[in-house]
Amino acid sequence: MMDHPLFIAAVIGLLAAAAFLLRWIASRRRLMEDARIEYAERCETKPKTVKGVDAETFERLYVAAYEPRWALYIAGALVLAIAITPPAALGLVALWPILVLGLEAGPWYDEGYYPWMFYMFFGFCGIWALCGFLMARIHHARRPESFNPALARARGEPFDDVVIPRKRPKWAVKARPDTKPAAPDSE
């Protein structure tokens, strides 16, 4: 049991998930300290930027904006993939006879032959990709606001009404619209 390849892969996956989780925790702790230092510096040098914002709110906004959330969600995706692998294997094995029911009844469709191995390999790849997709959707759906807009909103500024003008790219300065009307087709 301990030398089974899937067990070894699960242990390696769990160790990788633990490493990503530790990376996230260490980064959050470092960012909390950085936020305290940044808040103290802003109170001394730029008090208008933190006017009406207490230290706890500033720290929460700072950490939320700069934390490496990707590490947390990668760890979650790895744990989810490891947890779903055994029931997925049972489901894939149970589904195989149904899929080959209408095919020619040759021995090459038995478990262990190449069609079955192909099916299992890509079945697992699809299930693991689905785990990654699910965690990526959660990651993007829970994305916090950028730091400067969040800080402006915490100060009470009506940030939703502000329109930030975009500077034209350097290549677009030379581009001019064609003012001539299009010539009709001569057919």
Side-chain angles (χ1 to χ4, degrees), residues 44 52 63 68 166 183:
E44 291 176 13
V63 171
R166 290 184 50 189

Side-chain angles (χ1 to χ4, degrees), residues 6-126:
L6 290 178
F7 178 78
I8 294 170
V11 169
I12 291 171
L14 288 174
L15 289 174
F20 282 116
L21 189 61
L22 289 174
R23 159 80 161 88
W24 178 73
I25 290 170
S27 294
R28 272 190 65 90
R29 286 189 177 170
R30 190 184 75 245
L31 283 170
M32 286 178 186
E33 184 60 33
D34 291 347
R36 290 184 201 110
I37 294 169
E38 177 79 19
Y39 184 76
E41 287 178 9
R42 282 180 182 243
C43 286
E44 291 176 13
T45 60
K46 301 181 261 182
K48 288 174 93 177
T49 62
V50 290
K51 181 178 127 189
V53 179
D54 61 344
E56 292 82 24
T57 303
F58 183 86
E59 181 179 328
R60 182 179 48 80
L61 294 174
Y62 189 89
V63 171
Y66 296 117
E67 72 180 327
R69 294 175 38 248
W70 58 268
L72 178 64
Y73 288 99
I74 288 176
L78 285 169
V79 170
L80 180 63
I82 291 167
I84 207 164
T85 296
L90 294 174
L92 287 171
V93 169
L95 187 61
W96 178 249
I98 297 169
L99 290 176
V100 297
L101 188 64
L103 300 175
E104 182 181 323
W108 43 85
Y109 291 116
D110 291 342
E111 290 183 7
Y113 285 89
Y114 285 122
W116 180 81
M117 287 188 268
F118 182 85
Y119 161 77
M120 291 298 286
F121 174 77
F122 285 106
F124 279 126
C125 288

